Every structure is written in C-alpha cells, then in structure tokens.
Amino acid sequence: ALDNPIVSEMLLGWYADNRTMKQQWQVAGHTITPATLKVPLWMCITQNDVLVPTACSLPAVGQSNGATVHMANTGHVGLVCGRKAQEQFYRPLISWLQGPRT
C-alpha cells in the first residue's frame, strides 16, 4: 500500500513526518500551507479524538486564512463510520459544499 503515492504521502508525509504543520508539504513543487491556500477551506476537528487530539488540530486553524471550522463531537474513526457520522461530519460537510462561497 505504501507504493501508492497518495497513501505514502498521507501516512508518511502528513502523519509520520508532520509535513503539513512543518510547512514542508509540497504538491508539484509548490509548498502548501493553510495560509497560502486561495480556495475555500473547511476544517473538521474532532473533540474526542485519541489519534489526533483536538489540541493538535487547532494550530492549523490559526494558520488558515478564513477557514470554516466545524467542531465534531466524536472521535477519529467515529467521524466517518460511527453512529454520529451523519450528524457530526457528513451533513455539515455536504451543507458547506452546497453553500455559497465568498
């Protein structure tokens, strides 16, 4: 699975090396940071996460340029497949995707 570039980037680059917060994440030779993104940004932060505690996610909000932040009352895995997933993740994300952009 690690020979897949996306899987490798997410597991090794984002998680193991923390390239996103070190401002070392690159796509096509361009460094990607929340502050330099010129597209609407939606950030979902879990409040009961053992894998990525809330305090670890909050610095990215401070680095972003006007991101919409959604605080989900769930954990990491429950966010996408738990009993609260529809209410805490999917519906808010779909609503944001369908909403107006400035």
Side-chain angles (χ1 to χ4, degrees):
L2 289 179
D3 59 342
N4 179 303
I6 295 172
V7 172
S8 177
E9 183 68 22
M10 290 177 70
L11 290 178
L12 300 177
W14 294 0
Y15 182 71
D17 296 338
N18 203 16
R19 287 187 196 141
T20 53
M21 288 308 294
K22 292 178 182 175
Q23 298 186 0
Q24 298 172 342
W25 179 37
Q26 292 199 342
V27 174
H30 299 281
T31 301
I32 306 297
T33 66
T36 60
L37 289 175
K38 303 223 185 306
V39 296
L41 182 61
W42 188 79
M43 300 174 117
C44 183
I45 297 176
T46 54
Q47 296 178 0
N48 302 311
D49 201 325
V50 176
L51 296 173
V52 182
T54 305
C56 292
S57 299
L58 293 176
V61 174
Q63 291 179 8
S64 72
N65 199 5
T68 298
V69 179
H70 172 71
M71 301 296 287
N73 186 19
T74 185
H76 201 89
V77 175
L79 183 67
V80 294
C81 63
R83 70 182 191 284
K84 296 180 182 179
Q86 287 292 325
E87 169 195 340
Q88 294 292 315
F89 179 66
Y90 293 108
R91 286 187 191 129
L93 175 59
I94 289 167
S95 176
W96 181 81
L97 289 169
Q98 293 175 337
R101 301 284 180 267
T102 56

